[in-house]
Amino acid sequence: MTAPAASWLDSDVPADNGFGLENLPYGVFSTQRDGRPRTGVAIGDRVLDLAGLTDDPVHATGSLNAFLALGPRRWQALRADLVGWLTEERHRALVEPHLVPVEEARLHLPVAIADYVDFYSSRHHAENLGHLFRPGGAPLTPNWLHLPLGYHGRSGTVVVSGTPVARPHGQRRGAADGPPTFGPSLQLDIEAEIGFVVGTPSPLGRPVALEELDQHVFGVCLVNDWSARDLQSWEYVPLGPFLGKSFLTSVSPWVVPLTALQAARIPPPPREVALLPYLDDAATAPWGLDIQMEVRINGHVVSRPPFGLMYWTPAQQLAHLTVNGASLRTGDLFASGTVSGPEQHQRGSLIELTWGGREPLELPDGSVRTFLQDGDRVSITATATGVHGGTVSLGAVTGRVQPPRPMP
Amino acid sequence: MTAPAASWLDSDVPADNGFGLENLPYGVFSTQRDGRPRTGVAIGDRVLDLAGLTDDPVHATGSLNAFLALGPRRWQALRADLVGWLTEERHRALVEPHLVPVEEARLHLPVAIADYVDFYSSRHHAENLGHLFRPGGAPLTPNWLHLPLGYHGRSGTVVVSGTPVARPHGQRRGAADGPPTFGPSLQLDIEAEIGFVVGTPSPLGRPVALEELDQHVFGVCLVNDWSARDLQSWEYVPLGPFLGKSFLTSVSPWVVPLTALQAARIPPPPREVALLPYLDDAATAPWGLDIQMEVRINGHVVSRPPFGLMYWTPAQQLAHLTVNGASLRTGDLFASGTVSGPEQHQRGSLIELTWGGREPLELPDGSVRTFLQDGDRVSITATATGVHGGTVSLGAVTGRVQPPRPMP
């Protein structure tokens, strides 16, 4: 890479806010003046209106899907154009009228989600949940070290950051083998995750190899996979999580191109067992990603999950997802699963942070939490180092817990 | 209902082929002469081209979704129009040019699937699978009698009947706690199911009550949820079925309106435990459906699953699916799960018919099956009694097993 170019915008960009030229993430926005949702690129404290600047209908559809479907060559070409437009003084007069202050932009769900798959790729998280959900048993199931476990979630309830989080109703296990009880979840939780957005589709019957991740995945976002643990623990045997998860999944509004994370690539942890060839990444360029995450409740940091310690990489997740011949569609979203590190303060969910609610968390404001209370505001943020050494921000995924809606 | 009207088409309709005026199912078709996929209605041995006849762009989109989104009033209005057009001689000259012989119609996936959910609503199937997957344990998990268990499947690999079924590759449990092996599935199976197609969406946070099924669900189709049992049994703990199912799910090309099945409504089996209010259907009009299914392998009937014995009804499935506030989208598909009755010859999957492969099935041609062999052709058909006492056919969902594709 060449040295970082300076933008003619520099004077307007707060120093190193994570949205400099090394990032250039894509989102969908509208303004009060122009209510049409359209594609924008975040730069500093502005949003560049691509629909207005380029007049390309691909950027005026209200989702990124049409652009993502164009594939890696076109992604890279537009990225090069963006750098040119934002650094060369001669473009300034043309570009400047299409820069919108970010506080005037209403951000929408960036991608029309096709299929949503949630993986379970943190060994620390899987072991913690194993201890809590199956006490006395082996914390890891026998398959865990051999494949990235995953399941399909509900794509219709994937929403953009900021959408209110209504506490869901559902069945909970009753006392002493009695019948279940019903009501608002008493164990509403978060799951701090990183999501991967598919741009290039693949046909039925053609598995995607480890080396092909960046031919298919356009970029990453933050995911909060809200979870009702009481609903989940009653329902999940034998078909897996369902209503305990399907009420809402929030994603951050900016999709950060994989290209912006090239400097964050690191080897994943050593593998404990030999992997089958389609998952064996020992001889491939690594797809661990050194991303630092932070989880806040009402502004207080409660966890700093280290994404770089994830056992299974997104390349392995994609290879596994397609090894049976399953096809990919533009807009497919696959998420990492909860990111938890080995330390207590690195756990990406409250059920882990409070060990099933038995060790309440004391917040700096003096209040304590086991699970989420009505009114709690959760924010997950993340950053990585960019190719020129600056900060690349993944932005934030936020949500505020609402009281349960009345049953009709 | 009034007496069945006679169609001016009668002379062309094979006697009681299940696609008379009592049925009128919707599909998407194209012809060699006009390759554009468009909406059609099956009548006798013809397809009525709705795009050509009505010039309504809703019928020219290549999926039923735009029509389904119009809601029950418009569904009923078009059905009344169809009966008029097909019975009143004065419409004949206008309608007849838009009738296409069914053998000239190429049938496409009728619905762009939004979310696909698969339930597990046959008690006999759940008990059989419990015996086979968890030998020695209780056949039903403690939650089974309290809620219709389900999980999300992959909507991107839902395909129309006739699509070839490539034998999927994947991981299988190794011998004696050793590492897993990899290869084409050795236990490729079928699951004979009925699917329900959502027309009217629902907003986040508004559960759909038992009484509202026909306000949201447009109609039904047949589903073959192809399953690789060896992949499934290795992967499914603790997150449920994933690659063992996600390679392909086939649906029949004709969506039969719920309206056409009103005479098939019967009470479901007696409930063994008291149900929570949102699932308690004792005082509501019943949504058991007396549909007779047949499963054929290479033309030989191997099973006759009785849908009328399903423990959980589609109304309960929909109420459960949404009780946590999850929204519905036009094009959502939820399937019943494998339909199995109490008798051996009523089981809707090979793993049940052959008791895990231990009791091979002898076909009338002298060959034996445990699981599917390359080249096998599977066909699932179903019929019910129409409102005038005739037969309503759900058509067929078929698929032929191909040899595994080479690994890339």
Side-chain angles (χ1 to χ4, degrees):
Chain A
M1 300 290 296
T2 55
S7 172
W8 44 258
L9 254 179
D10 272 356
S11 57
D12 297 314
V13 180
D16 211 19
N17 78 340
F19 291 99
L21 288 166
E22 292 170 88
N23 193 345
L24 300 177
Y26 291 76
V28 171
F29 78 104
S30 61
T31 54
Q32 203 154 22
R33 192 161 20 164
D34 183 350
R36 289 171 299 184
R38 53 205 189 271
T39 299
V41 170
I43 176 70
D45 52 3
R46 310 291 184 92
V47 178
L48 177 59
D49 180 347
L50 279 185
L53 176 65
T54 68
D55 244 357
D56 186 339
V58 113
H59 299 306
T61 60
S63 85
L64 301 182
N65 295 50
F67 171 58
L68 300 193
L70 297 177
R73 281 190 191 196
R74 295 286 298 274
W75 308 338
Q76 300 309 336
L78 181 55
R79 188 172 177 85
D81 286 344
L82 283 167
V83 171
W85 296 334
L86 291 168
T87 56
E88 296 167 27
E89 183 66 30
R90 66 191 167 104
H91 294 300
R92 183 170 187 154
L94 196 67
V95 173
E96 210 158 27
H98 299 288
L99 287 166
V100 177
V102 72
E103 62 270 17
E104 292 178 16
R106 181 180 164 211
L107 298 170
H108 300 264
L109 184 67
V111 176
I113 309 294
D115 271 301
Y116 165 46
V117 167
D118 199 18
F119 283 97
Y120 194 54
S121 293
S122 159
R123 178 166 186 172
H124 306 289
H125 171 70
E127 287 181 342
N128 289 339
L129 270 277
H131 277 298
L132 291 164
F133 274 41
R134 296 177 296 278
L140 286 185
T141 50
N143 47 20
W144 200 93
L145 291 170
H146 297 284
L147 55 84
L149 284 167
Y151 67 99
H152 284 90
R154 189 164 187 80
S155 53
T157 52
V158 175
V159 299
V160 71
S161 172
T163 303
V165 183
R167 185 179 292 273
H169 289 81
Q171 292 197 22
R172 306 183 290 251
R173 192 186 305 276
D177 292 333
T181 59
F182 184 87
S185 170
L186 303 175
Q187 299 185 334
L188 183 60
D189 199 355
I190 59 171
E191 295 202 330
E193 310 192 9
I194 303 277
F196 297 84
V197 178
V198 171
T200 315
S202 70
L204 260 183
R206 211 194 68 74
V208 174
L210 288 172
E211 296 81 1
E212 297 177 300
L213 179 78
D214 53 9
Q215 299 300 304
H216 291 277
V217 167
F218 170 75
V220 309
C221 61
L222 291 164
V223 176
N224 188 343
D225 182 34
W226 307 93
S227 299
R229 300 298 181 189
D230 40 358
L231 278 54
Q232 182 186 351
S233 69
W234 168 239
E235 76 179 353
Y236 90 105
V237 177
L239 298 184
F242 186 37
L243 297 192
K245 305 276 196 174
S246 66
F247 57 98
L248 210 72
T249 304
S250 301
V251 299
S252 56
W254 296 111
V255 181
V256 172
L258 268 193
T259 303
L261 295 171
Q262 291 303 311
R265 293 175 66 173
I266 55 173
R271 279 62 175 81
E272 283 200 28
V273 299
L275 296 178
L276 286 163
Y278 79 97
L279 292 174
D280 185 358
D281 59 355
T284 65
W287 270 114
L289 287 167
D290 187 19
I291 300 173
Q292 289 82 43
M293 302 171 72
E294 287 191 331
V295 182
R296 285 178 178 77
I297 297 179
N298 301 331
H300 309 298
V301 175
V302 297
S303 178
R304 292 194 165 88
F307 192 72
L309 298 185
M310 297 297 275
Y311 195 85
W312 296 105
T313 71
Q316 291 171 314
Q317 291 163 7
L318 193 63
H320 187 62
L321 176 56
T322 58
V323 74
N324 66 350
S327 49
L328 297 175
R329 290 182 293 174
T330 299
D332 280 349
L333 170 69
F334 62 97
S336 61
T338 308
V339 183
S340 291
E343 308 294 330
Q344 199 272 351
H345 67 276
Q346 296 177 324
R347 298 173 183 164
S349 70
L350 284 169
I351 194 173
E352 292 169 90
L353 285 164
T354 69
W355 210 246
R358 294 193 286 280
E359 300 170 11
L361 200 66
E362 185 164 351
L363 299 183
D365 65 8
S367 65
V368 291
R369 288 293 179 288
T370 49
F371 293 96
L372 293 173
Q373 297 179 359
D374 293 349
D376 278 349
R377 189 171 184 284
V378 177
S379 170
I380 303 169
T381 56
T383 56
T385 299
V387 287
H388 298 304
T391 298
V392 167
S393 173
L394 275 66
V397 58
T398 67
R400 189 156 183 269
V401 179
Q402 314 291 306
R405 302 184 181 93
M407 284 296 288
Chain B
M1 299 293 293
T2 55
S7 172
W8 44 257
L9 256 177
D10 273 356
S11 58
D12 297 313
V13 181
D16 210 20
N17 78 340
F19 290 100
L21 288 166
E22 292 170 89
N23 193 347
L24 300 177
Y26 290 76
V28 171
F29 78 105
S30 61
T31 54
Q32 203 153 21
R33 190 160 24 160
D34 182 350
R36 289 173 298 184
R38 52 205 191 270
T39 298
V41 170
I43 176 71
D45 54 2
R46 311 291 184 92
V47 177
L48 177 59
D49 179 346
L50 278 185
L53 177 64
T54 68
D55 243 356
D56 186 338
V58 115
H59 298 307
T61 61
S63 84
L64 301 182
N65 296 48
F67 170 58
L68 301 193
L70 298 177
R73 281 191 191 194
R74 296 285 297 275
W75 307 338
Q76 299 311 335
L78 181 55
R79 188 171 177 84
D81 285 346
L82 283 167
V83 172
W85 295 335
L86 293 166
T87 55
E88 295 168 26
E89 183 66 30
R90 65 192 169 104
H91 294 300
R92 181 169 188 156
L94 196 68
V95 172
E96 211 158 25
H98 300 286
L99 287 166
V100 176
V102 73
E103 63 271 16
E104 292 179 16
R106 179 178 165 214
L107 297 170
H108 300 265
L109 183 66
V111 175
I113 308 293
D115 272 301
Y116 164 47
V117 167
D118 198 20
F119 282 97
Y120 195 55
S121 293
S122 158
R123 178 166 186 170
H124 306 290
H125 172 70
E127 287 181 343
N128 288 340
L129 270 277
H131 277 299
L132 291 164
F133 272 43
R134 296 178 295 280
L140 286 185
T141 50
N143 48 19
W144 200 93
L145 291 171
H146 296 284
L147 55 83
L149 284 167
Y151 67 98
H152 285 90
R154 188 163 187 82
S155 52
T157 51
V158 176
V159 299
V160 71
S161 173
T163 304
V165 182
R167 185 179 292 272
H169 288 81
Q171 293 197 22
R172 307 183 291 250
R173 192 187 306 275
D177 292 333
T181 60
F182 184 87
S185 171
L186 304 175
Q187 299 186 334
L188 184 59
D189 198 357
I190 59 169
E191 295 203 330
E193 310 193 10
I194 304 277
F196 297 83
V197 178
V198 171
T200 317
S202 70
L204 259 183
R206 212 193 68 72
V208 175
L210 287 173
E211 295 81 2
E212 297 178 300
L213 179 78
D214 52 10
Q215 299 301 303
H216 291 277
V217 167
F218 170 75
V220 309
C221 61
L222 291 164
V223 176
N224 189 345
D225 182 33
W226 306 94
S227 299
R229 300 298 180 190
D230 39 0
L231 278 54
Q232 182 185 352
S233 69
W234 167 238
E235 76 179 353
Y236 90 105
V237 176
L239 299 184
F242 187 37
L243 296 192
K245 304 277 195 172
S246 65
F247 58 97
L248 210 71
T249 305
S250 301
V251 298
S252 55
W254 296 111
V255 181
V256 172
L258 267 194
T259 303
L261 295 171
Q262 292 301 312
R265 293 175 66 174
I266 55 172
R271 277 64 174 82
E272 283 200 27
V273 300
L275 295 178
L276 286 162
Y278 79 97
L279 292 174
D280 185 358
D281 59 354
T284 64
W287 270 114
L289 286 168
D290 188 18
I291 299 173
Q292 288 83 44
M293 302 172 72
E294 287 190 334
V295 181
R296 284 179 178 76
I297 296 179
N298 301 333
H300 309 297
V301 175
V302 296
S303 177
R304 293 194 164 88
F307 192 72
L309 297 186
M310 296 297 273
Y311 194 84
W312 297 105
T313 70
Q316 290 171 316
Q317 291 164 5
L318 192 64
H320 186 62
L321 175 55
T322 59
V323 74
N324 67 350
S327 48
L328 298 174
R329 290 181 293 173
T330 299
D332 280 349
L333 170 69
F334 61 96
S336 60
T338 308
V339 183
S340 290
E343 308 294 331
Q344 200 271 353
H345 66 276
Q346 296 179 324
R347 298 174 184 163
S349 70
L350 284 170
I351 194 174
E352 295 169 88
L353 285 165
T354 68
W355 210 246
R358 294 194 285 281
E359 300 170 12
L361 201 66
E362 185 164 351
L363 299 183
D365 64 9
S367 64
V368 290
R369 288 294 179 287
T370 49
F371 294 96
L372 293 172
Q373 296 180 0
D374 293 349
D376 279 348
R377 189 170 183 283
V378 178
S379 169
I380 303 168
T381 56
T383 55
T385 299
V387 289
H388 299 304
T391 297
V392 167
S393 172
L394 274 67
V397 59
T398 66
R400 188 155 184 270
V401 179
Q402 313 291 308
R405 302 182 181 93
M407 283 297 289

